[in-house]
């Protein structure tokens, strides 16, 4: 570390206040400031400091401990805070593109403060904003400044009452009318109402709406996204033909106004089709640069991965908060001891260490994974923006999709279980609302569900691995990927031949030992799944049945992540 | 089944309404009414019906879906409902003694309705009430009718801000003053404030307070319980010298007013010492029928077990509710399918079955365990009431204590994990507050903590098993217990010699196979723990260190329950 940067870091990392944790802290065998600097880097630390000190000094962000807020008030407050965030503009569009890790830091800081705010902001700026940016074209750039100055407020509407995981089957329609050059957005019935859409409940003025695109003559071209105005930005009253409302109380994230909407023949200009993957000419002809639906879908995988990769980071923030609370409590909470007069901190108990320290270790491992995946994704997206259509780019898209589809379950489940363990590790005091473990559990929970239910996502990773194996077995294709995460599978017959030989418990502490065991297990389960699937197909099951009858076997492959 | 009782049962179990579940229900291979009758019995079914139809028809019990209640309102409503319950008097004192399972049924029904009410009622009637009944003597019987007609409202105060698990170390004092024949109840400092006491926050008029008993001259006789009036029953204002208040919002159970209290030299009559295990003469001499503290403590184990055994049943109620919600949802929620047009219920997916059906099976097993343990406990308590001081009675007390100390963690953790799985199995819809999975998770959660933290309790069961083994190894004592739950350990050297021989997966479905594996594992872990502990002691660790360094090993024995 250069001395100047250390000097700078010193100011960024003031000494911790003296207190009951001092005894443990003084026993550390390393300098925590150096570690923080090594893990985060100065830019990230500086941004964190800017954000936290700004929020601390603005009364709008004062936490109202004790005071109870009703649902309406929670949502109003999150909205006002979101507005203020946009005024504060911690990162410009240029910063975001130049330093993806700063984007991750911003989300993390907002989440540490309050996930309702973090997610409201994320949905508007990044989900809504980047849907327009990455699925639209030049004609949609006009929306971007309006997003930054909050002239419009956005949401992202895929899910319907009856279709979540099976998003491709949503039933909202967009019929093109060449006489007026408009699309007619329509909800055929209540089950096709848009549902669960964050920001839609009370505050969004615009939605990116996914609908089945029909051209004159009645041909359906599959799912496309459209920018639809749903409210008047001045009055927040719904636009004509739009029935929109709030879904009510959720288990957590109650500052986010999740909403539903039904469209009654709402007309929007032709230009508001986000046309990166397909467009309709003024006369009503469908045009697309892609050969088929599958290729078109492949091109959109990068966009899909963003949310999942973000959730990996968000889940880790939750685990960090929970583990910090539980460890600090355990270091100061005394209970029992060698004699009646002398009690020891519960952290001294072997059980308490056994329960908490593996989660502390998981944080470091997952944090590293999360950052590197975020950077890989940024690389992918920059390629997409530069319209890189190379084979490597396509392969990278698939690999990141597979990593994100297993990484999101890994991180969100680890966090969910870890938070529960931390809650219990704090005994009764962990059950008091003010100690936040309940909010963390409730706010982390949907990370297991949105952007793809964990159990459904795992199957995507399994499919990826199985298809690599199938191509290898059938055509002798090499198993390799741009980020090299699957390259070890190339040696899978050798790996399967390996035997566990480590003679002692101490020997197992060498990380090569569990790694080898892990490789063996992946190969073993992969082979089992492959055989099960092949056998099912041979015995006459159709594709759907075969996949279903092998679901547990194939999911186990990715469940390894658990 | 006798035809008359079947006729009666028919009226108790009307047909289920036709609806979307009909398709699955009609495929059942058994008659659900016969099963319900077999599992519950007619008396229990009749009580359930009485309770539910009464609550359904009384507007005070109408659920206020949608309407938001503030904390104050929640607590007030629970209190009013608790009052009404006591007026309704579903079970008389005689019913309770004659049919313990009806008590369990009453708690279960109230919990199915709302745990805040269930627990408020339980704390007053059963925890407070039976503490007086079973720790007091004739002179305390005057309190019982007042409990039933709610002239007084009770709570049970052991825990202090600084002492939970280590309850023996609580620091509230009760000094006897022979000049006025009174005890002086006193809180030495804030850390010794009573804490977490359900009903104490706003509504209790009386508390059973645990305090260290001192006789003149300053001798301490250890923990005893006292009836202390804390509020005026007319005004609910605190009594002089009592500082009492509400702890604020919790993760769940917000209809229960959990509270704290500090006593400033509060004087209570000598007679309000609950004197079953020790008393003070008017002159100030301490008298006890027990030889030593250990024996005195042993005699109180039966009382301690009640709460834990009750929690086993309460946890199962939560799991039943969650699994019913998730299975019914899964049977009607369609997503994906063999063709685009044809979607199948998610219950058809192997993964969904794999995730939910083991919890369904666990319910049946745990329900049976819970009922039989409840009946065993009732037998124990009747023995105690009849002052049965036999060796068998003492041994039964220890066995039930060990079963309850492992059974509570087993049931509460299984429920907590099961509820989380059910929440996730319902996808986004599981995250909507109105669907109750959040309340179930939040209300079940403290079952892992109160009446003894699960991890601390497991160590009690381990100690019980290890002490049986030690007596066997050292003195050749037979390993046997009144309920025969540990008798298999007598064969432990043989069991350890067994090898796993089952040749096929199908063979493992015979329940004898997992049972044998389970017996082997218990014996193996027990031997390991015993050895670890002996070795630690030999290598010079003191008792406390030795136990701590073996904590994970010994807990694993009881963790088998997980
Ligand atoms: C807080 C929150 C915010 C959200 N925000 C948005 C938003 O802003 N915009 C938006 O469009 N959506 C949003 N969603 C919706 C979210 O994306 C969906 O909930 C998610 O995709 C899951 O879909 P579902 O809820 O319909 O679950 P379902 O698809 O109904 O799944 C139910 C269960 O069935 C199982 N299952 C389904 N298919 C299979 C299969 N083939 N094999 C095995 N098991 C299967 C699943 O594992 C799950 O357990 C949000 C959801 C939540 C909870
Ligand atoms: C909703 C609720 C209602 C309650 N109602 C009542 C009531 O009505 N009356 C009443 O008196 N009390 C009540 N309690 C208090 C309850 O009994 C205590 O919370 C419980 O006994 C645990 O004690 P604690 O909270 O002090 O946890 P602690 O004892 O501080 O435990 C903290 C952590 O340390 C661990 N730990 C402690 N000792 C050891 C050890 N030796 N080895 C390994 N690990 C250890 C525990 O596992 C736990 O994870 C209530 C609590 C709650 C949450």
């Amino acid at each position: 570390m250069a001395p100047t940067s250390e000097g700078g870091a010193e100011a960024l990392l003031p000494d911790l206040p003296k207190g009951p944790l001092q005894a443990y802290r003084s026993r550390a065998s390393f300098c925590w400031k150096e570690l923080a600097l090594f893990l985060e880097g100065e830019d990230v630390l500086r941004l964190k400091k800017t954000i936290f000190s700004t929020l601390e000094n603005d009364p709008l962000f004062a936490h109202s401990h004790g005071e109870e807020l009703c649902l309406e008030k929670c949502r109003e407050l999150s909205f006002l805070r979101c507005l203020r965030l946009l005024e504060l503009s911690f990162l410009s569009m240029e910063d975001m593109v130049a330093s993806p890790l700063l984007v991750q830091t911003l989300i993390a800081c907002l989440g540490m403060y309050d996930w309702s705010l973090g997610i409201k902001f994320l949905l508007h700026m990044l989900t809504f904003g980047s849907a327009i940016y990455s699925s639209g074209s030049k004609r949609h750039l006009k929306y971007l400044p309006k997003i930054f100055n909050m002239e419009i407020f956005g949401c992202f509407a895929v899910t319907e009452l009856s279709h979540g995981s099976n998003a491709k089957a949503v039933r909202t329609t967009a019929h093109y009318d060449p006489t007026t050059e408009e699309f007619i957005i329509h909800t055929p019935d209540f089950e096709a109402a848009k549902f669960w859409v964050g920001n839609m409940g009370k505050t969004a003025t615009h939605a990116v709406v996914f609908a089945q695109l029909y051209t004159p003559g009645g041909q359906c071209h599959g799912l496309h996204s459209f920018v639809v105005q749903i409210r008047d930005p001045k009055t927040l009253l719904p636009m004509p033909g739009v029935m929109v409302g709030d879904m009510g109380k959720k288990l957590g994230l109650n500052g986010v106004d999740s909403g539903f909407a039904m469209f009654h023949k709402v007309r929007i200009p032709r230009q508001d089709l986000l046309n990166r993957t397909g467009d309709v000419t003024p006369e009503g002809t469908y045009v697309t640069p892609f050969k088929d639906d599958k290729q078109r879908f492949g091109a959109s995988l990068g966009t899909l991965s963003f949310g999942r990769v973000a959730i990996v980071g968000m889940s880790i923030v939750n685990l960090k908060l929970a583990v910090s609370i539980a460890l600090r409590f355990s270091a100061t909470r005394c209970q029992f001891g060698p004699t009646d007069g002398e009690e020891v901190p519960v952290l001294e108990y072997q059980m308490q260490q056994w329960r908490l320290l593996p989660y502390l270790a998981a944080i470091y491992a997952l944090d590293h994974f999360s950052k590197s995946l975020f950077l890989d994704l940024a690389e992918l997206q920059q390629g997409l923006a530069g319209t890189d259509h190379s084979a490597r780019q396509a392969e990278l898209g698939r690999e990141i999709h597979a990593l994100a589809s297993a990484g999101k379950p890994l991180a969100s489940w680890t966090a969910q279980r870890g938070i529960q363990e931390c809650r219990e590790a704090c005994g009764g005091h962990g059950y008091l609302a003010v100690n936040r473990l309940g909010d963390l559990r409730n706010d982390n929970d949907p990370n297991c569900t949105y952007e793809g239910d964990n159990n459904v996502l795992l199957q995507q990773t399994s499919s990826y691995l199985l298809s690599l194996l199938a191509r290898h077995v059938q055509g002798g294709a090499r198993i390799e990927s741009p980020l090299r995460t699957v390259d070890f599978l190339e040696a899978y017959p050798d790996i399967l031949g390996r035997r566990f030989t480590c003679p002692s418990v101490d020997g197992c502490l060498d990380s090569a030992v569990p790694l080898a065991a892990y490789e063996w297990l992946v190969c073993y389960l992969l082979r089992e799944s492959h055989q099960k699937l092949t056998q099912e197909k041979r015995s006459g099951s159709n594709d759907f049945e075969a996949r279903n009858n092998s679901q547990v076997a194939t999911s186990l492959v990715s469940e390894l992540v658990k």
Side-chain angles (χ1 to χ4, degrees), chain A:
Chain A
M1 253 169 290
T4 50
S5 94
E6 238 187 88
E10 197 53 52
L12 287 174
L13 297 167
D15 289 338
L16 293 164
K18 299 271 179 295
L21 291 170
Q22 186 65 17
Y24 277 99
R25 284 182 171 149
S26 64
R27 276 150 61 183
S29 60
F30 59 90
C31 166
W32 72 268
K33 296 186 186 186
E34 278 180 41
L35 184 66
L37 204 53
F38 171 74
L39 289 173
E40 306 268 41
E42 220 178 295
D43 287 355
V44 164
L45 289 178
R46 180 157 299 119
L47 178 61
K48 280 190 172 178
K49 192 176 168 102
T50 307
I51 296 172
F52 287 136
S53 57
T54 309
L55 301 191
E56 269 166 28
N57 291 309
D58 186 333
L60 183 60
F61 293 95
H63 281 299
S64 59
H65 289 307
E67 192 197 333
E68 255 189 298
L69 294 177
C70 68
L71 210 60
E72 293 280 318
K73 229 25 229 159
C74 273
R75 294 185 175 179
E76 187 186 319
L77 205 52
S78 285
F79 185 58
L80 295 176
R81 286 172 178 163
C82 194
L83 237 162
R84 178 68 53 89
L85 277 188
L86 285 150
E87 285 165 24
L88 289 167
S89 180
F90 290 114
L91 291 179
S92 67
M93 182 107 165
E94 292 72 41
D95 295 332
M96 293 193 185
V97 175
S99 310
L101 284 187
L102 294 184
V103 179
Q104 210 189 23
T105 305
L106 175 59
I107 302 172
C109 289
L110 297 178
M112 286 193 208
Y113 167 75
D114 172 16
W115 275 119
S116 285
L117 176 61
I119 286 178
K120 249 189 119 54
F121 178 81
L122 180 79
L123 285 173
H124 167 66
M125 280 290 278
L126 296 167
T127 316
F128 175 70
S130 71
I132 291 181
Y133 180 71
S134 62
S135 308
S137 59
K138 240 188 228 149
R139 71 188 192 221
H140 303 107
L141 291 181
K142 63 174 184 189
Y143 286 115
L144 298 187
K146 296 187 186 186
I147 291 175
F148 271 79
N149 67 20
M150 210 151 153
E151 251 180 79
I152 64 177
F153 194 63
C155 65
F156 184 76
V158 185
T159 308
E160 297 177 353
L161 174 57
S162 281
H163 286 99
S165 299
N166 190 7
K168 274 194 225 164
V170 303
R171 294 192 293 112
T172 303
T173 55
H175 281 275
Y176 184 65
D177 177 357
T179 56
T180 59
E181 296 191 13
E182 287 171 322
F183 285 103
I184 306 161
I185 308 290
H186 187 67
T187 309
D189 53 61
F190 182 62
E191 287 199 22
K194 290 296 170 193
F195 222 68
W196 275 116
V197 183
N199 289 355
M200 187 178 250
K202 298 202 178 293
T203 49
T205 61
H206 288 67
V208 166
V209 172
F210 281 69
Q212 306 291 348
L213 189 162
Y214 287 86
T215 42
Q219 205 195 337
C220 179
H221 302 275
L223 220 51
H224 287 72
S225 51
F226 302 83
V227 182
V228 182
Q229 182 174 351
I230 57 172
R231 283 192 180 86
D232 180 318
K234 292 250 160 49
T235 62
L236 289 185
L237 289 174
M239 298 300 285
V242 179
M243 189 174 93
V244 59
D246 190 297
M247 288 178 55
K249 201 171 163 192
K250 302 187 291 284
L251 307 200
L253 294 182
N254 278 309
V256 178
D257 49 320
S258 303
F260 62 87
M262 293 181 73
F263 302 97
H264 186 73
K265 300 187 179 159
V266 175
R267 287 176 170 266
I268 60 166
R270 184 184 68 90
Q271 285 79 1
D272 281 343
L273 164 64
L274 294 169
N275 60 336
R276 167 92 36 126
T277 61
D279 206 349
V280 172
T281 64
E283 302 73 36
T285 308
Y286 183 78
V287 288
T288 170
F290 295 98
K291 277 201 303 272
D292 53 31
D293 267 16
K294 213 174 148 191
Q295 218 199 19
R296 193 165 67 80
F297 180 71
S300 61
L301 281 183
T303 326
L304 276 181
S305 292
F306 174 77
R308 291 165 196 164
V309 174
I311 290 173
V312 173
M314 289 157 60
S315 303
I316 298 165
V317 168
N318 290 328
L319 190 56
K320 282 180 184 171
L321 292 169
V323 169
S324 306
I325 294 169
L327 283 179
R328 289 176 189 173
F329 178 77
S330 301
T332 51
R333 174 73 173 177
C334 294
Q335 208 76 192
F336 300 103
T339 62
D340 278 353
E342 178 197 348
E343 290 191 305
V344 302
V346 294
L347 188 52
E348 294 301 319
Y349 291 111
Q350 207 185 37
M351 267 313 283
Q352 195 81 354
Q353 297 172 4
W354 178 269
R355 291 163 67 193
L356 295 176
L357 299 187
Y359 285 110
L360 180 65
I363 289 171
Y364 286 93
L366 287 171
D367 202 44
H368 176 73
F369 168 65
S370 158
K371 282 177 193 158
S372 71
L373 189 59
F374 205 87
L375 290 174
D376 293 332
L377 178 70
E379 184 202 324
L380 175 72
Q381 288 186 319
Q382 271 161 24
L384 287 176
T387 58
D388 173 350
H389 285 187
S390 68
R392 181 182 185 280
Q393 180 73 4
E395 205 46 63
L396 182 63
R398 267 190 286 276
E399 183 174 16
I400 288 181
H401 175 70
L403 285 171
S405 298
K408 187 198 98 131
L410 169 64
S412 57
W413 275 332
T414 306
Q416 197 66 15
R417 284 173 205 165
I419 295 165
Q420 179 68 28
E421 194 66 64
C422 290
R423 195 314 274 147
E424 294 177 30
C426 294
H429 297 295
Y431 195 66
L432 209 56
V434 74
N435 292 328
R436 208 180 165 184
L437 292 164
D439 282 343
L440 290 176
R441 181 172 71 191
N442 291 332
D443 290 352
N444 186 71
D445 191 4
N447 287 336
C448 306
T449 299
Y450 49 39
E451 295 287 332
D453 168 85
N454 281 359
N455 281 288
V456 173
L457 280 189
L458 282 181
Q459 295 170 38
Q460 311 249 342
T461 307
S462 305
S463 300
Y464 170 75
L465 292 173
L466 284 166
S467 75
L468 289 177
L469 189 70
R471 275 195 285 157
H472 178 77
V473 171
Q474 284 147 26
R478 269 192 81 77
I479 304 184
E480 58 185 359
S481 64
L483 302 173
R484 317 188 136 273
T485 59
V486 297
D487 292 11
F488 75 98
L489 290 174
E490 181 68 22
Y492 92 102
D494 289 350
I495 291 174
L496 282 171
R498 279 187 208 156
R499 285 291 161 268
F500 184 79
T501 53
C502 186
S504 70
V505 173
D506 276 356
C508 291
L509 295 179
D510 178 350
S511 63
V513 176
L515 189 65
Y518 173 83
E519 288 184 354
W520 181 87
L521 194 55
V522 172
C523 292
Y524 174 78
L525 288 172
L526 207 53
R527 187 186 56 185
E528 291 289 294
S529 310
H530 178 72
Q531 284 172 355
K532 172 95 181 140
L533 206 58
T534 318
Q535 181 192 324
E536 279 289 337
K537 282 189 187 158
R538 251 191 232 126
S539 72
S541 303
N542 64 29
D543 239 40
F544 179 76
E545 283 163 3
R547 266 185 291 124
N548 190 18
N549 294 337
S550 321
Q551 223 174 32
V552 171
T554 54
S555 291
L556 278 177
V557 177
S558 332
E559 283 230 32
L560 271 188
V561 300
K562 284 207 206 179

